Each structure stands twice: as structure tokens, then as C-alpha cells.
Amino acid sequence: MLNRRHLLLTSVAAGVTMSSRTVLATAAQPSTPVNFEVPAGAVDTHTHIHGDPAKFPFFAGRTYTPEPASPEEMAALHKALHIQRVVIVTPSVYGPDNSATLFGMKARGNDARGVAVIDDKTTDSDLDALGKAGIRGIRINLATSGVTDPNVGRTRLQKAIERMKSRGWHIQVYADAPVVAAVKDIVASAPMPIVFDHFGGAVADLGLEQPGFADLVTLVKSGHAYVKISGAYRVSKNGPDYADAAPFAKALIAANSDRIIWGSDWPHPNSSSGKPATELTPLYQIDDGRLFNQLPVWAPDAAIRKKILVDNPVKLYGF
């Protein structure tokens, strides 16, 4: 088992050249080996980089402060999971500053793509530069920011669609299931893919009949939305295998396996600890090997897993 406080990364992992100084790891590393054959070219579609705050300062309006998570640690994670490619998503703690994401993408070269956060001050030339660097979508966060008003969600999504419709980028939405229900008509008519994070915000305790989940399944079935079956520990409280997340994963995969992608949600930030925003909040210590091993439980067919891990994300992110 790799210890979070004493793991020293001093070598080259997964093609990332590391600095000569040792790096004290804070983010989780897998302690359980992967127990299934991972297809070549697999993609982890949901990760974050938390850089050195001296170089990548946090957003003043953030709601939490995470521990560091470096490109070197991410490379070690993916080497252990036999995953070649990655999508790095700008977390809410940076606001519309995508510098840490671009830093992480550069470390992985052509095996990386990104999802950015923008605001009204982001210019078209800024977007052009982001696109050249490998950004393929923007993220709207309606969860960590505390936005649960469906009308606010509708307005922000419509605004994002208008901004992105000429670029061919997708829009990624982090929201709870009732907000998914409130925006379903907008998603169904959007001219670009809409991607919902983390099972569309479903909550395992509320069951498959909870408000919004049927709408999510319908959007997936019709091909109007992608869903990341990521962050099962955000859906379920029953670790370490989160078995009550399985019915949700299976329902989404059965609806349309061409619209499902997988993500680790590494380094597992705890955005709802209740601590003051400027107080350091430890990362969740998730065993990503054990969690990744749930994918064959959710999708027993190797051909379906290849769609989820390779074919679908390669198409969506343009690898």
C-alpha cells in the first residue's frame, strides 16, 4: 500500500518527466491492483490538478481549500491503473483561472485534454488559446458553488450554449438531479454535447425513482447527453465498493452505452467539509484501484467497457 504522507515520487512515471527534487504526496494512490484487462488507450475523463499555491493561487471566492495534487502524482496513479490518457478539469477553487489545468496537461502532452472554466471576462482570443492547448469544453458548476435554483441553472446553461455553439466544444455540468430535470429541454435542443458529472448528481439513498434521474436516463438514451460514471463515493456512502451506486451505473449504461464515460475524480477533493473556505481541507483517501474494479461489475461486457474507456472519450475529447 502506498502511504499518502510518505510516498516520495522520485522517478519517471507514465511518460511524465519529474523534477529532481522529491515530492511529498498528499493525494491518494491505489492500494488494490486492477483486476481486469484495461483496453489500450483508456481515458480517465475526470481529474484535477492542485498546484503549488505560490505558483497557482486559489480563487478568492472559493468555498474550500484542497491539499496539493501534482502531475507527478497523477502520472503514478494512471500507471498503476494502466490508463494512458487523461482529461483534466479546472476545479472550482481556481475560478476562471485555468493555469493549473494547463500545467497538468502540458506534463502529459498529447495524452491530455482539458475542460476549462470561463467567465464574462474570458475573451474569444482566450478561448482560441485554450483550444490550441487542448481544451475541449467548459464546465458549469452548479453544485460546489451552492447554486441549486433551477432557474439559475437554466440561465447559466443557455448562456454557455450561446457562447460555445460556434466552437464545437461540449459543456460539462456539475449539478444535482433536480437541476438536471429543470434543464432537460435545453439539453435536448443543445447544438453540442452536454456532459453531466458524477452520475448526474444522483443520490443512492434516494433510489432510482428520485426526481431527475429518469430525465437523465432519457437524455442519455436519446443521445442528447453524456454522463460520467465517476465519483461513486459522491453518490454512495457505502464504501469501499459503493455497491448501491451500481444500479445507477447499470441503468445509464443500459440506456445508451455510447454516451457513458468513466472518470476517477482524482484527487478526490472534499468540497463539503463545512470548514472555513481558507482552511486546508484534506483530500478523500479513496482506493482508486478498488473503485476502478467496480467497472466490470457495472459493465461485465469487455466491448462495452472499451466504449466507456476508449471509444466514447476519444470521440468526445478529440484524442
Side-chain angles (χ1 to χ4, degrees), residues 54 89 113 122 179 199:
V89 180
R113 298 291 184 270
T122 307
V179 172
F199 294 81

Side-chain angles (χ1 to χ4, degrees), residues 46 139-144 147-148 172-181 183 195-217 220 226-236 245 248-249 252:
H46 198 101
R139 188 191 201 199
I140 302 173
N141 189 326
L142 301 179
T144 302
V147 178
T148 56
Q172 180 176 318
V173 179
Y174 183 27
D176 61 19
V179 172
V180 175
V183 300
V195 181
F196 288 102
D197 286 354
H198 310 324
F199 294 81
V203 177
D205 285 348
L206 300 180
L208 294 174
E209 303 304 317
Q210 65 190 276
F213 188 71
D215 297 305
L216 180 66
V217 170
V220 169
Y226 285 80
V227 177
K228 295 184 179 183
I229 49 174
S230 57
Y233 58 93
R234 299 189 182 280
V235 177
S236 164
F248 295 87
L252 292 166

Side-chain angles (χ1 to χ4, degrees), residues 1 17 42 44-45 68 72 92 100 130 164 175-176 193 206 212 267 280 303:
M1 182 173 180
T17 302
D44 179 350
T45 70
E72 294 87 356
S92 64
L130 290 171
M164 290 294 112
D176 61 19
L206 300 180
L280 191 68

Side-chain angles (χ1 to χ4, degrees), residues 52-231:
D52 179 350
K55 297 179 180 178
F56 303 100
F58 293 120
F59 172 53
R62 68 191 182 279
T63 59
Y64 70 103
T65 299
E67 293 179 306
S70 70
E72 294 87 356
E73 291 174 279
M74 183 184 289
L77 166 84
H78 289 140
K79 184 177 182 180
L81 298 181
H82 312 298
I83 289 176
Q84 176 187 342
R85 297 164 169 152
V86 65
V87 178
I88 303 174
V89 180
T90 297
S92 64
V93 294
Y94 288 118
D97 183 353
N98 298 287
S99 300
T101 293
L102 296 173
F103 169 67
M105 291 167 62
K106 187 176 181 180
R108 289 288 278 270
N110 197 45
D111 282 337
R113 298 291 184 270
V115 176
V117 174
I118 67 171
D119 63 10
D120 292 339
K121 296 179 181 179
T122 307
T123 66
D124 286 342
S125 60
D126 291 333
L127 294 176
D128 291 341
L130 290 171
K132 290 179 180 177
I135 296 294
R136 294 294 179 264
I138 63 168
R139 188 191 201 199
I140 302 173
N141 189 326
L142 301 179
T144 302
S145 57
V147 178
T148 56
D149 183 344
N151 291 321
V152 174
R154 288 179 64 85
T155 299
R156 290 187 63 188
L157 181 55
Q158 288 172 323
K159 187 175 181 180
I161 289 171
E162 186 64 27
R163 187 80 194 270
M164 290 294 112
K165 66 182 181 181
S166 64
R167 289 192 172 266
W169 292 9
H170 69 272
I171 297 172
Q172 180 176 318
V173 179
Y174 183 27
D176 61 19
V179 172
V180 175
V183 300
K184 63 183 181 181
D185 59 318
I186 301 175
V187 175
S189 62
M192 75 283 288
I194 306 297
V195 181
F196 288 102
D197 286 354
H198 310 324
F199 294 81
V203 177
D205 285 348
L206 300 180
L208 294 174
E209 303 304 317
Q210 65 190 276
F213 188 71
D215 297 305
L216 180 66
V217 170
T218 298
L219 289 169
V220 169
K221 188 173 184 178
S222 67
H224 288 117
Y226 285 80
V227 177
K228 295 184 179 183
I229 49 174
S230 57

